[in-house]
Amino acid sequence: VKNSSGACVKVALYGGTIVAYADSNGRERLFVSDKALTDGSKPIRGGIPLVFPQFGDGQGKYPNLPSHGFARRSKWTFQGSSPTGSSFEDALTNADGSVTFYLILTDSEEILASWNHPFKLTLKVTFDNSNLATELSVENPGTEGFEFQALLHTYYLLSAVENIAVQGLKGLTYIDQLQGRIQVKEEGEELPINKETDWIYTNATQPLRITGVDNTNIEISISLKKGNQSHPVDAVVWNPWIKKAKGMGDFGHEEYRRMICVEPGCVSRFETCEPGQTWALEQKISFPL
């Protein structure tokens, strides 16, 4: 999908995964591993995979589900300019020149066999020359509530991870997933990436920033809402570093240097989506031209 200035988004229906965003200068901004599998045999390693209804193993809540749930392993439907429109409608060009399109995933016999809750997921994607916004909505059309976690597992493409840092985390508490989920307070103004990092920052209220990306910054605004009511949003920062990268079959040994994941979500806890409710997880990313 392109806008009139040449900015482009590519999406795989398998997983509803955005696999590319190139700005109007043609510069790719999202990382996808050279070893990523795109044949539907496993989730795509890179882009913006969609995590639902659990993060990791969900601390055992849904033992019948695969890691990170089923959304990134399911075939989504492209809805074009309307979340209720016909498949493969054209995307919508807005008055400001941005482009919007939707993808949806609803319960199926296969999904209900392992997670017996009616649901509807809608991914809204809006982009222009240098901005990319994604909103994952979780809707409950059923008669009973369900508990869920959700995440936009965003991979950013870098020239060298050692040159960047993440800002906007000072004062937040993070869950260190590499040290038995201990909770630590972030004291630094900047988080450099110089080792394996797998931390869940809770209640991330201010905009985040990836600094040092070719002497410029990437700005990230994140939010989680139930209807119009704001709720605490988590931010996961992840890089596999050297040892883990070598053990991942769909990830190159040296590719850890070319990426960083900064991922908004609801993953430190489960939320409940009651019948008729809709939750929305959103990120707005601004890339410098």
Side-chain angles (χ1 to χ4, degrees):
V1 181
K2 291 185 178 181
N3 78 347
S4 59
S5 298
C8 178
V9 166
K10 295 181 181 179
V11 62
L13 295 183
Y14 178 73
T17 305
I18 295 175
V19 294
Y21 166 69
D23 62 28
S24 58
N25 290 330
R27 180 178 177 182
E28 180 55 51
R29 292 297 194 166
L30 299 179
F31 168 86
V32 175
S33 172
D34 292 339
K35 292 191 173 184
L37 300 177
T38 57
D39 60 359
S41 60
K42 67 182 303 182
I44 297 168
R45 176 68 70 184
I48 310 180
L50 304 175
V51 172
F52 177 88
Q54 67 178 10
F55 176 68
D57 65 2
Q59 302 295 295
K61 181 174 288 291
Y62 296 125
N64 293 332
L65 295 182
S67 177
H68 286 344
F70 52 74
R72 65 182 189 145
R73 300 171 180 267
S74 300
K75 187 174 181 180
W76 291 57
T77 301
F78 185 84
Q79 293 292 124
S81 61
S82 169
T84 59
S86 302
S87 298
F88 296 104
E89 275 189 39
D90 289 337
L92 173 67
T93 299
N94 302 303
D96 61 2
S98 64
V99 173
T100 298
F101 63 90
Y102 297 83
L103 292 91
I104 64 166
L105 177 68
T106 55
D107 51 86
S108 65
E109 186 175 324
E110 180 181 1
I111 292 173
L112 291 173
S114 58
W115 198 70
N116 191 24
H117 302 283
F119 71 92
K120 179 181 179 181
L121 300 182
T122 304
L123 180 67
K124 178 183 179 183
V125 181
T126 300
F127 69 96
D128 62 16
N129 294 353
S130 61
N131 299 280
L132 174 64
T134 57
E135 180 186 82
L136 178 64
S137 296
V138 178
E139 181 180 344
N140 182 356
T143 58
E144 297 181 356
F146 59 75
E147 293 183 278
F148 74 95
Q149 295 175 315
L151 182 79
L152 298 166
H153 199 319
T154 311
Y155 289 73
Y156 293 91
L157 178 62
L158 309 173
S159 55
V161 71
E162 58 265 30
N163 294 336
I164 68 100
V166 182
Q167 293 182 344
L169 302 169
K170 184 178 180 179
L172 300 183
T173 297
Y174 66 86
I175 300 167
D176 188 340
Q177 298 212 101
L178 303 174
Q179 302 292 332
R181 293 179 62 84
I182 63 171
Q183 296 191 26
V184 182
K185 185 176 180 179
E186 179 60 67
E187 301 289 354
E189 292 284 354
E190 294 188 335
L191 173 67
I193 307 300
N194 51 25
K195 60 183 178 180
E196 183 179 355
T197 305
D198 193 355
W199 298 341
I200 303 170
Y201 287 86
T202 59
N203 199 18
T205 57
Q206 59 185 336
L208 306 177
R209 180 181 297 111
I210 304 174
T211 67
V213 182
D214 298 331
N215 299 314
T216 60
N217 301 330
I218 298 171
E219 308 280 347
I220 310 164
S221 296
I222 60 179
S223 66
L224 175 68
K225 293 183 177 181
K226 178 176 68 175
N228 293 322
Q229 181 182 3
S230 294
H231 282 250
V233 60
D234 301 321
V236 178
V237 180
W238 181 73
N239 184 290
W241 212 245
I242 300 169
K243 183 177 179 181
K244 187 166 187 176
K246 290 182 178 179
M248 297 163 62
D250 59 350
F251 192 89
H253 290 181
E254 297 294 324
E255 287 187 323
Y256 72 92
R257 297 189 64 246
R258 298 175 46 229
M259 54 72 63
I260 181 68
C261 286
V262 179
E263 317 159 27
C266 169
V267 295
S268 63
R269 66 197 187 279
F270 279 82
E271 291 286 4
T272 300
C273 189
E274 299 290 356
Q277 282 186 348
T278 299
W279 288 73
L281 173 65
E282 184 178 30
Q283 64 179 355
K284 295 179 179 179
I285 310 165
S286 179
F287 298 96
L289 283 175

Coordinates of all heavy atoms in Angstrom, one line a residue, residues 29-31 46-47 153-162 164-166 169 191-198 209-211 213 218 220 236-241 251 255-263:
R29 N 12.3 1.3 7.4 CA 12.4 1.6 8.9 C 12.2 0.4 9.8 O 12.5 0.5 11.0 CB 11.4 2.7 9.2 CG 11.7 4.0 8.5 CD 13.0 4.6 9.0 NE 13.2 6.0 8.7 CZ 14.2 6.8 9.2 NH1 15.0 6.3 10.1 NH2 14.3 8.0 8.9
L30 N 11.7 -0.7 9.3 CA 11.4 -1.8 10.1 C 12.4 -2.9 9.8 O 12.7 -3.2 8.7 CB 10.0 -2.3 10.0 CG 8.9 -1.3 10.3 CD1 7.5 -1.9 10.0 CD2 9.0 -0.9 11.8
F31 N 12.8 -3.6 10.9 CA 13.7 -4.8 10.7 C 13.0 -6.1 10.5 O 12.0 -6.4 11.2 CB 14.6 -4.9 11.9 CG 15.4 -6.2 12.0 CD1 16.6 -6.3 11.4 CD2 14.8 -7.3 12.6 CE1 17.3 -7.5 11.4 CE2 15.5 -8.5 12.7 CZ 16.8 -8.6 12.1
G46 N 10.2 -10.3 12.7 CA 10.5 -8.9 12.4 C 9.2 -8.2 12.0 O 8.1 -8.8 12.0
G47 N 9.3 -6.9 11.6 CA 8.2 -6.1 11.3 C 7.4 -5.7 12.6 O 8.0 -5.3 13.6
H153 N 4.6 -5.9 18.7 CA 6.0 -6.4 18.9 C 6.9 -5.8 17.8 O 7.4 -6.4 16.9 CB 6.0 -7.9 18.8 CG 7.3 -8.6 19.3 ND1 8.5 -8.1 19.2 CD2 7.4 -9.7 20.0 CE1 9.4 -8.9 19.7 NE2 8.7 -9.9 20.3
T154 N 7.2 -4.5 17.9 CA 7.7 -3.7 16.9 C 9.3 -3.8 16.8 O 10.0 -3.5 17.8 CB 7.4 -2.2 17.0 OG1 5.9 -2.1 17.3 CG2 7.7 -1.4 15.8
Y155 N 9.8 -4.2 15.6 CA 11.2 -4.3 15.4 C 11.7 -3.1 14.6 O 11.2 -2.8 13.5 CB 11.5 -5.5 14.6 CG 11.4 -6.9 15.2 CD1 10.1 -7.4 15.5 CD2 12.5 -7.6 15.5 CE1 10.0 -8.7 16.1 CE2 12.4 -8.9 16.1 CZ 11.2 -9.4 16.4 OH 11.1 -10.7 16.9
Y156 N 12.6 -2.3 15.1 CA 13.2 -1.1 14.4 C 14.5 -1.5 13.8 O 15.3 -2.2 14.4 CB 13.4 0.0 15.4 CG 12.1 0.6 15.9 CD1 11.5 0.1 17.1 CD2 11.4 1.6 15.3 CE1 10.3 0.6 17.6 CE2 10.2 2.1 15.7 CZ 9.7 1.6 16.9 OH 8.5 2.1 17.4
L157 N 14.7 -1.0 12.6 CA 15.9 -1.3 11.8 C 16.9 -0.2 12.2 O 16.7 1.0 12.1 CB 15.6 -1.2 10.3 CG 16.8 -1.5 9.4 CD1 17.4 -2.8 9.6 CD2 16.4 -1.3 7.9
L158 N 18.1 -0.7 12.5 CA 19.2 0.2 12.9 C 20.5 -0.1 12.1 O 20.6 -1.2 11.5 CB 19.6 -0.1 14.4 CG 18.5 0.0 15.4 CD1 19.1 -0.5 16.8 CD2 17.9 1.3 15.5
S159 N 21.4 0.9 12.0 CA 22.7 0.6 11.4 C 23.6 0.0 12.3 O 24.5 -0.8 12.0 CB 23.2 1.9 10.8 OG 23.3 2.9 11.8
A160 N 23.5 0.4 13.6 CA 24.4 -0.2 14.7 C 23.7 0.0 16.0 O 23.6 1.2 16.5 CB 25.7 0.5 14.6
V161 N 23.4 -1.0 16.7 CA 22.6 -0.9 18.0 C 23.5 -0.2 19.1 O 23.0 0.4 20.0 CB 22.2 -2.3 18.5 CG1 23.3 -3.2 18.9 CG2 21.1 -2.2 19.6
E162 N 24.8 -0.3 18.9 CA 25.7 0.3 20.0 C 25.7 1.8 19.9 O 26.1 2.5 20.9 CB 27.1 -0.2 19.8 CG 27.8 0.1 18.5 CD 27.6 -1.1 17.5 OE1 26.7 -1.9 17.6 OE2 28.5 -1.2 16.6
I164 N 22.8 3.6 19.7 CA 21.5 4.1 20.1 C 21.2 4.0 21.5 O 21.9 3.2 22.3 CB 20.3 3.4 19.2 CG1 20.2 2.0 19.6 CG2 20.6 3.6 17.8 CD1 19.1 1.6 20.6
A165 N 20.2 4.6 22.0 CA 19.7 4.5 23.4 C 18.2 4.7 23.4 O 17.7 5.4 22.4 CB 20.4 5.4 24.3
V166 N 17.5 4.3 24.4 CA 16.1 4.5 24.5 C 15.9 5.5 25.7 O 16.4 5.3 26.8 CB 15.3 3.2 24.8 CG1 13.8 3.4 24.9 CG2 15.6 2.1 23.8
L169 N 12.2 6.4 29.9 CA 12.0 5.3 30.8 C 12.4 5.6 32.3 O 12.1 4.8 33.2 CB 12.8 4.0 30.4 CG 12.4 3.5 29.0 CD1 13.4 2.5 28.5 CD2 11.0 3.0 28.9
L191 N 18.7 4.4 28.2 CA 19.0 3.0 28.3 C 19.8 2.6 27.0 O 19.3 2.4 26.0 CB 17.7 2.2 28.3 CG 17.9 0.7 28.2 CD1 18.6 0.1 29.5 CD2 16.5 0.0 28.0
P192 N 21.1 2.4 27.2 CA 21.9 1.9 26.1 C 21.7 0.4 25.9 O 21.3 -0.3 26.9 CB 23.4 2.2 26.5 CG 23.3 2.2 28.0 CD 22.0 2.7 28.4
I193 N 21.9 -0.1 24.8 CA 21.7 -1.6 24.5 C 23.1 -2.1 24.3 O 23.7 -2.0 23.2 CB 20.8 -1.8 23.3 CG1 19.5 -1.1 23.5 CG2 20.6 -3.3 23.1 CD1 18.7 -1.5 24.7
N194 N 23.6 -2.8 25.3 CA 25.0 -3.4 25.3 C 25.1 -4.8 25.8 O 26.2 -5.3 26.2 CB 26.0 -2.4 26.0 CG 25.5 -2.1 27.4 OD1 24.7 -2.8 28.0 ND2 26.0 -0.9 27.9
K195 N 23.9 -5.4 26.0 CA 23.8 -6.8 26.4 C 22.4 -7.3 26.1 O 21.5 -6.5 25.7 CB 24.1 -6.9 27.9 CG 23.1 -6.1 28.8 CD 23.5 -6.1 30.2 CE 22.5 -5.2 31.1 NZ 22.8 -5.3 32.5
E196 N 22.2 -8.6 26.4 CA 20.8 -9.1 26.2 C 19.9 -8.3 27.1 O 20.1 -8.1 28.3 CB 20.7 -10.6 26.5 CG 19.4 -11.2 26.3 CD 19.2 -12.7 26.6 OE1 20.3 -13.3 26.9 OE2 18.1 -13.2 26.5
T197 N 18.8 -7.9 26.5 CA 17.8 -7.1 27.2 C 16.4 -7.6 27.0 O 16.0 -7.8 25.8 CB 17.9 -5.6 26.7 OG1 19.2 -5.1 26.8 CG2 17.0 -4.7 27.5
D198 N 15.7 -7.9 28.0 CA 14.3 -8.3 27.9 C 13.5 -7.8 29.2 O 13.3 -8.6 30.1 CB 14.3 -9.9 27.9 CG 12.9 -10.4 27.5 OD1 12.0 -9.6 27.3 OD2 12.8 -11.7 27.3
R209 N 11.6 7.5 23.1 CA 12.5 8.0 22.0 C 13.6 7.1 21.8 O 14.2 6.6 22.8 CB 13.0 9.4 22.3 CG 13.9 10.0 21.3 CD 14.3 11.4 21.7 NE 13.2 12.4 21.9 CZ 12.8 12.9 23.0 NH1 13.4 12.5 24.1 NH2 11.8 13.7 23.0
I210 N 13.9 6.7 20.6 CA 15.1 6.0 20.3 C 16.1 7.0 19.7 O 15.9 7.6 18.6 CB 14.9 4.8 19.3 CG1 13.8 3.9 19.8 CG2 16.2 4.1 19.0 CD1 13.4 2.8 18.8
T211 N 17.2 7.3 20.4 CA 18.1 8.3 20.0 C 19.3 7.7 19.3 O 19.6 6.5 19.4 CB 18.6 9.1 21.3 OG1 19.4 8.2 22.1 CG2 17.5 9.6 22.1
V213 N 19.9 7.3 16.1 CA 19.6 6.6 14.8 C 20.1 7.4 13.7 O 19.4 8.3 13.2 CB 18.1 6.2 14.6 CG1 17.9 5.4 13.4 CG2 17.6 5.5 15.9
I218 N 13.9 8.7 16.8 CA 12.6 8.1 16.5 C 11.7 8.4 17.7 O 12.1 8.0 18.8 CB 12.7 6.6 16.2 CG1 13.5 6.3 15.0 CG2 11.3 6.0 16.0 CD1 13.8 4.9 14.8
I220 N 8.1 7.9 19.8 CA 7.1 6.9 19.9 C 6.1 7.3 21.0 O 6.5 7.4 22.1 CB 7.7 5.5 20.2 CG1 8.9 5.1 19.3 CG2 6.6 4.4 20.2 CD1 9.7 4.0 19.9
V236 N 7.9 -3.0 26.4 CA 8.9 -4.0 26.4 C 10.1 -3.5 25.6 O 9.9 -3.1 24.4 CB 8.4 -5.3 25.9 CG1 9.5 -6.4 25.9 CG2 7.2 -5.8 26.7
V237 N 11.3 -3.6 26.1 CA 12.5 -3.4 25.4 C 13.3 -4.7 25.3 O 13.6 -5.3 26.3 CB 13.4 -2.3 26.1 CG1 14.7 -2.1 25.2 CG2 12.6 -1.0 26.2
W238 N 13.6 -5.1 24.0 CA 14.2 -6.4 23.8 C 15.2 -6.4 22.7 O 15.1 -5.8 21.7 CB 13.1 -7.4 23.4 CG 13.6 -8.8 23.1 CD1 14.0 -9.7 24.1 CD2 13.8 -9.5 21.8 NE1 14.4 -10.9 23.5 CE2 14.3 -10.8 22.1 CE3 13.5 -9.1 20.5 CZ2 14.6 -11.7 21.1 CZ3 13.8 -10.0 19.5 CH2 14.3 -11.3 19.8
N239 N 16.4 -7.0 23.0 CA 17.4 -7.4 22.1 C 18.0 -8.7 22.5 O 18.4 -8.8 23.7 CB 18.5 -6.3 22.0 CG 19.5 -6.5 20.9 OD1 20.3 -7.4 21.0 ND2 19.5 -5.7 19.8
P240 N 18.2 -9.7 21.6 CA 18.6 -11.0 22.0 C 20.1 -11.0 22.3 O 20.6 -12.0 23.0 CB 18.3 -11.9 20.9 CG 18.3 -11.0 19.7 CD 17.8 -9.7 20.2
W241 N 20.9 -10.1 21.8 CA 22.3 -10.0 21.9 C 23.0 -11.3 21.4 O 22.4 -12.0 20.6 CB 22.8 -9.7 23.4 CG 24.0 -8.9 23.4 CD1 25.2 -9.3 23.9 CD2 24.2 -7.6 22.9 NE1 26.2 -8.3 23.8 CE2 25.6 -7.2 23.1 CE3 23.4 -6.6 22.3 CZ2 26.1 -6.0 22.8 CZ3 23.9 -5.4 21.9 CH2 25.3 -5.1 22.1
F251 N 16.9 -16.2 12.8 CA 17.6 -14.9 13.1 C 19.1 -15.1 12.9 O 19.7 -16.0 13.4 CB 17.3 -14.6 14.6 CG 17.6 -13.1 15.0 CD1 16.7 -12.1 14.8 CD2 18.9 -12.8 15.5 CE1 17.0 -10.8 15.2 CE2 19.2 -11.5 15.9 CZ 18.2 -10.5 15.8
E255 N 22.6 -10.3 13.5 CA 21.5 -9.4 13.2 C 21.1 -8.6 14.5 O 20.4 -7.6 14.4 CB 20.3 -10.1 12.6 CG 20.6 -10.5 11.2 CD 19.3 -11.1 10.5 OE1 18.6 -11.8 11.2 OE2 19.1 -10.8 9.3
Y256 N 21.5 -9.1 15.7 CA 21.2 -8.3 16.9 C 21.7 -6.9 16.8 O 21.2 -6.0 17.5 CB 21.7 -9.0 18.1 CG 23.2 -9.0 18.3 CD1 23.8 -7.9 19.0 CD2 24.1 -9.9 17.6 CE1 25.2 -7.8 19.1 CE2 25.4 -9.8 17.7 CZ 26.0 -8.8 18.5 OH 27.4 -8.7 18.6
R257 N 22.8 -6.7 16.0 CA 23.3 -5.3 15.9 C 22.5 -4.4 15.1 O 22.7 -3.2 15.1 CB 24.8 -5.4 15.3 CG 25.8 -6.2 16.1 CD 27.2 -6.0 15.6 NE 27.6 -4.7 15.7 CZ 27.9 -3.9 14.6 NH1 27.7 -4.3 13.4 NH2 28.3 -2.6 14.8
R258 N 21.5 -4.9 14.3 CA 20.8 -4.1 13.4 C 19.3 -3.9 13.8 O 18.5 -3.4 13.0 CB 20.8 -4.8 12.0 CG 22.2 -5.0 11.4 CD 22.1 -5.8 10.1 NE 21.0 -5.3 9.2 CZ 20.1 -6.1 8.7 NH1 20.2 -7.4 8.9 NH2 19.1 -5.6 7.9
M259 N 19.0 -4.2 15.1 CA 17.6 -4.1 15.5 C 17.5 -3.7 17.0 O 18.4 -4.0 17.8 CB 16.8 -5.4 15.2 CG 17.4 -6.7 15.7 SD 17.3 -6.9 17.5 CE 15.5 -7.0 17.7
I260 N 16.4 -3.2 17.3 CA 15.9 -3.0 18.7 C 14.4 -3.1 18.6 O 13.7 -2.6 17.7 CB 16.3 -1.7 19.3 CG1 15.9 -1.6 20.7 CG2 15.8 -0.5 18.5 CD1 16.5 -2.5 21.7
C261 N 13.8 -3.8 19.6 CA 12.4 -3.9 19.8 C 12.0 -3.0 20.9 O 12.5 -3.1 22.0 CB 11.9 -5.3 20.1 SG 11.9 -6.4 18.7
V262 N 11.1 -2.1 20.7 CA 10.4 -1.2 21.7 C 8.9 -1.5 21.4 O 8.4 -1.0 20.4 CB 10.8 0.2 21.6 CG1 10.1 1.1 22.6 CG2 12.3 0.4 21.7
E263 N 8.3 -2.1 22.4 CA 7.0 -2.8 22.1 C 5.9 -2.3 23.1 O 6.0 -2.7 24.3 CB 7.1 -4.3 22.2 CG 8.4 -4.8 21.5 CD 8.7 -6.2 22.0 OE1 7.8 -7.0 22.5 OE2 9.9 -6.5 22.0

